[in-house]
């Protein structure tokens, strides 16, 4: 796919883009690789993978929790944390309610004091635990590897008397103060850990709130065979994130582990392989029994919306208690304390407040009002297939529900230029570096709810290329707003797990999804689809010049529109 300048730049600085990650393998010192410091009473658990932020501004988080709530941290926070409803709270800073043996060890380093003001007064205990390779915990970060899941789960096991824990002097500590009913909450990496632990089906984990959380690490760093960066961290990969969260004092013991990540992640083909399969929590979603409140930003291009959508859909299909909160922000963004308290009170205290009978979806609309829907995607959304009619002289063509001409192929050409940003190309009146198609002006607002898809018939003049699709809202002045996007490597046209050669000049079928979304196109606007090759912000950036040829007669776009095709009423 060509050179990857972003990755080279990061390598030169010693840290590619700054993202956070999970901890991993241990020292084999004879003890389980668990977070070492936990205190408090019955709990909400929060787990944090990172000790302190270094060069990276933000990354995913995750945290296990005890009977109550647990929440992983954000950028700059360390891994760990849980809270448990009603019985006791594990506090990372104080020892109130903790065993005397814990207090006897003297002052402990503070992992975090977050959540205490919200949850202790409500009868939950709060526990913060550092993930493997972070802070005071042993082990090595593996960016979602199995050892990180086991390390986080061990805190739930300890709170339920199934695992051992030790204080700083090596004395065994038992959690006599907890009911063993655990909740976990966290953002980003700290939100991913609750998904990971829940996928083990561990007994005692009753509820989780994964915020901006990953459900499959492949989908975080790849898309349909294409190497795709998390937004804002061009060139980053699992080894870079592991390096970022590797904050334990011993800086040599994990070197070989991180080097192995760099080899196994395979940035050459982008294929889904055993390395990524180990880091795919969707494989074990059938084991989840904890009630799950998913929270995600509709404009999160770090941990993209596919993570929330596919996790939520799988839970829904399996009858797991579920609810989703979608907001207009980007990375991070928790539901209100009232919403969280209602969730944790129901599933940690077993208080019959009827939350399971509430509407399942809480969506913040474009004007920032909160709207409840029975479910998400909206059950009234119907797939609406649109056809492409070519423009002339590089101008935009037409996106229409009418049948376009069939028979002899009508082709349009894209010339790749990875130096051009997607926004620039979407705004351009004409450009050889993109193809654009616009609907007629809408007479009424149209709401998209779910996952857009494209089906393209394309050929290439080179054996490798990127393909990018954008869904765009064009206002009355023609200004473009990119709503969502998707990517594919044509060499993975039949499977993300298999690279197949591309023969120049041969047409191929490319079917792929864009990131899920919920968006209202206002009346007076046009719906647009823009096709380009390399995406400056996300894909690998090859040398300019590759030519991609689209057969418009055999290419379509499918949008999940509430009300179906009838809702796309063009102005007369």
């Amino acid at each position: 796919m060509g050179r990857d300048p972003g990755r080279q730049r990061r390598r030169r600085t010693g840290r590619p883009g700054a993202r956070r990650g999970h901890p991993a393998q241990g020292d084999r010192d004879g003890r389980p690789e668990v977070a070492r410091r936990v205190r408090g009473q019955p709990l909400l658990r929060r787990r944090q993978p990172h000790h302190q932020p270094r060069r990276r501004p933000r990354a995913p988080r995750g945290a296990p929790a005890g009977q109550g709530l647990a929440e992983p941290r954000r950028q700059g926070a360390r891994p760990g944390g849980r809270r448990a409803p009603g019985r006791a709270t594990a506090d990372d800073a104080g020892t109130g309610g903790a065993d005397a043996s814990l207090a006897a060890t003297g002052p402990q380093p503070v992992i975090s004091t977050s959540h205490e003001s919200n949850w202790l007064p409500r009868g939950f205990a709060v526990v913060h635990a550092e993930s493997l390779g972070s802070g005071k915990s042993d082990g090595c970060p593996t960016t979602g590897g199995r050892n990180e899941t086991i390390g986080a789960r061990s805190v739930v096991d300890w709170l339920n008397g199934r695992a051992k824990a030790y204080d700083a002097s090596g004395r065994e500590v038992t959690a006599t103060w907890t009911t063993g009913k655990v909740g976990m909450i966290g953002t980003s990496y700290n939100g991913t850990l609750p998904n990971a632990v829940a996928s083990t089906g561990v007994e005692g984990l009753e509820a989780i709130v994964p915020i901006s959380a990953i459900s499959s690490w492949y989908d975080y760093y790849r898309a349909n065979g294409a190497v795709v960066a998390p937004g804002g961290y061009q060139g980053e990969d699992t080894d870079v994130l592991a390096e970022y969260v590797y904050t334990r004092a011993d800086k040599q013991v994990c070197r070989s582990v991180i080097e192995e990540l760099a080899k196994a992640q395979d940035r050459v083909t982008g294929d889904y392989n055993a390395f990524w399969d180990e880091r795919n929590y969707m494989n074990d979603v059938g084991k989840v029994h904890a009630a799950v409140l998913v929270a995600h930003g509709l404009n999160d291009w770090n941990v993209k919306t596919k993570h929330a959508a596919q996790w939520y859909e799988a839970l829904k299909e399996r009858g797991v208690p579920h609810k989703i909160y979608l907001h207009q922000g980007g990375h991070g963004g928790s539901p209100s304390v009232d919403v969280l308290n209602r969730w944790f009170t129901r599933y940690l205290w077993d208080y019959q407040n009827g939350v399971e009978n509430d509407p399942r979806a809480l969506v913040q609309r474009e004007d920032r009002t909160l709207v409840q829907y029975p479910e998400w995607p909206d059950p009234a959304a119907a797939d609406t297939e649109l056809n492409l009619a070519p423009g002339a002289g590089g101008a935009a063509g037409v996106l229409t529900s009418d049948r376009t001409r069939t028979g002899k192929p009508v082709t349009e050409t894209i010339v790749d230029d990875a130096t051009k940003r997607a926004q620039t190309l979407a705004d351009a009146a004409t450009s050889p570096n993109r193809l654009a198609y616009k609907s007629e002006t809408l007479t009424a607002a149209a709401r998209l709810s779910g996952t857009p898809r494209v089906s393209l018939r394309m050929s290439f003049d080179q054996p490798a290329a990127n393909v990018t699709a954008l869904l765009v809202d064009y206002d009355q002045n023609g200004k473009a707003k990119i709503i969502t996007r998707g990517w594919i490597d044509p060499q993975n046209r039949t499977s993300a797990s298999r690279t197949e050669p591309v023969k120049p000049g041969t047409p191929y079928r490319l079917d792929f999804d864009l990131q899920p979304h919920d968006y209202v196109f206002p009346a007076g606007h046009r719906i647009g689809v823009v096709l380009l090759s390399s995406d400056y912000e996300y894909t690998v950036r090859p040398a300019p010049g590759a030519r991609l040829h689209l057969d418009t007669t055999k290419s379509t776009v499918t949008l999940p529109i509430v009300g179906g095709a009838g809702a796309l009423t063009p102005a007369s």
Side-chain angles (χ1 to χ4, degrees), residues 132-167:
L132 303 181
S134 296
K136 299 293 183 179
S137 284
D138 295 337
C140 300
T142 53
T143 310
R146 183 65 179 168
N147 64 313
E148 291 186 356
T149 298
I150 294 171
R153 187 188 66 189
S154 67
V155 182
V156 179
D157 285 332
W158 173 67
L159 292 166
N160 282 274
R162 297 188 298 267
K164 293 184 178 182
Y166 304 87
D167 64 20

Side-chain angles (χ1 to χ4, degrees), residues 22 146 148-149 152 191-201 214 281 311:
H22 283 80
R146 183 65 179 168
E148 291 186 356
T149 298
T192 300
L193 286 171
N195 282 348
V197 176
S199 73
T200 69
I214 291 168
Y281 310 124
W311 185 247

Side-chain angles (χ1 to χ4, degrees), residues 488-495 500-502 508-511:
I488 192 172
D489 179 348
Q491 296 173 100
N492 291 86
R493 57 193 175 275
T494 61
S495 171
E500 299 176 85
V502 166
Y508 298 102
R509 171 65 54 191
L510 305 179
D511 295 316

Side-chain angles (χ1 to χ4, degrees), residues 383-391 396-406 412 436-442 453 455 471 526-530 552-559 561 564-571:
D383 281 348
T384 302
E385 186 174 275
L386 302 174
N387 298 302
L388 310 178
V398 178
L399 186 66
T400 176
S401 57
D402 296 337
R403 293 179 64 85
T404 55
R405 59 179 292 183
T406 57
E412 295 196 288
Y437 305 90
K438 300 180 183 180
S439 72
E440 296 295 329
T441 302
L442 299 173
R453 306 190 307 275
S455 180
L471 180 65
R526 295 172 184 248
I527 299 174
V529 170
V530 176
T552 59
T553 64
K554 295 183 175 62
S555 299
T556 59
V557 176
T558 301
L559 304 179
I561 300 295
L568 298 181
T569 309

Side-chain angles (χ1 to χ4, degrees), residues 10 81 152 206 208 212 270 303 307 360 380 383 390 392 468 496 512 515 551:
R10 272 182 288 159
E206 304 297 336
I208 64 171
S212 296
V303 178
H307 294 277
R360 298 295 176 83
D383 281 348
T468 301
F512 61 101
Q515 292 295 314
D551 181 355

